[in-house]
């Protein structure tokens, strides 16, 4: 196996990436093939390869030290029942129909809303 570093430039972004290239022989196709693994970006000023995924090295030890949390028990249970009148009250309040009826008919607006329901 031959191992080398290949530099490839992305024409869309203009960023040059470095890949670890491993050549191998494919017996079925009778051809040379290559497996590539991304190493990182190439700094255009210094030519230094900067890792694109530095978090992979740091997250593995941290995952081992953080215990997994299990299911959290429910401590607050609430069950509410609302009927059609609550729905119509909210529709009247949001659309402003209730306020308009109250302004026009202050004594009988509740009766009118009840008939509309």
């Amino acid at each position: 196996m031959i191992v080398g570093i290949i530099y490839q430039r992305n024409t869309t972004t203009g960023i040059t990436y470095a890949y670890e290239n491993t050549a191998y022989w494919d017996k079925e196709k009778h051809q040379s093939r290559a497996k590539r693994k991304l190493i990182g970006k190439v700094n255009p000023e210094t030519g230094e390869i900067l890792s694109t995924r530095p978090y992979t090295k740091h997250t593995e030890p941290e995952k081992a030290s953080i215990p997994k949390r299990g299911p959290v028990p429910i401590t607050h249970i609430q069950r509410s029942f609302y009927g059609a009148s609550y729905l119509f009250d909210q529709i009247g309040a949001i659309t402003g129909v209730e306020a308009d009826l109250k302004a026009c008919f202050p004594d009988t607006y509740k009766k009118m809303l009840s008939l509309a329901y």
Side-chain angles (χ1 to χ4, degrees):
M1 280 201 285
I2 300 172
V3 178
I5 296 177
I6 295 203
Y7 299 96
Q8 189 171 14
R9 184 166 188 229
N10 186 332
T11 56
T12 309
T13 61
I15 298 172
T16 304
Y17 293 96
Y19 293 90
E20 182 181 278
N21 189 51
T22 306
Y24 68 96
W25 182 258
D26 189 350
K27 293 180 182 178
E28 293 178 8
K29 295 185 178 182
H30 301 288
Q31 293 177 344
S32 176
R33 295 287 180 185
K35 290 183 183 178
R36 291 185 181 176
K37 181 180 177 185
L38 178 65
I39 300 172
K41 294 180 184 179
V42 178
N43 187 343
E45 297 165 358
T46 62
E48 180 184 5
I49 299 173
L50 305 172
S51 177
T52 54
R53 299 177 188 244
Y55 59 86
T56 54
K57 293 180 183 176
H58 300 294
T59 55
E60 290 175 10
E62 291 174 9
K63 283 184 181 176
S65 63
I66 298 172
K68 290 186 177 182
R69 292 182 53 183
V72 179
I74 298 173
T75 57
H76 177 72
I77 299 172
Q78 179 181 353
R79 188 171 180 182
S80 303
F81 292 98
Y82 296 103
S85 60
Y86 177 79
L87 173 68
F88 290 130
D89 284 339
Q90 292 300 314
I91 291 171
I94 292 170
T95 59
V97 171
E98 183 179 356
D100 291 342
L101 283 174
K102 187 175 183 179
C104 294
F105 308 102
D107 298 332
T108 59
Y109 80 96
K110 288 186 179 180
K111 292 178 184 178
M112 289 179 169
L113 283 174
S114 177
L115 287 172
Y117 295 170

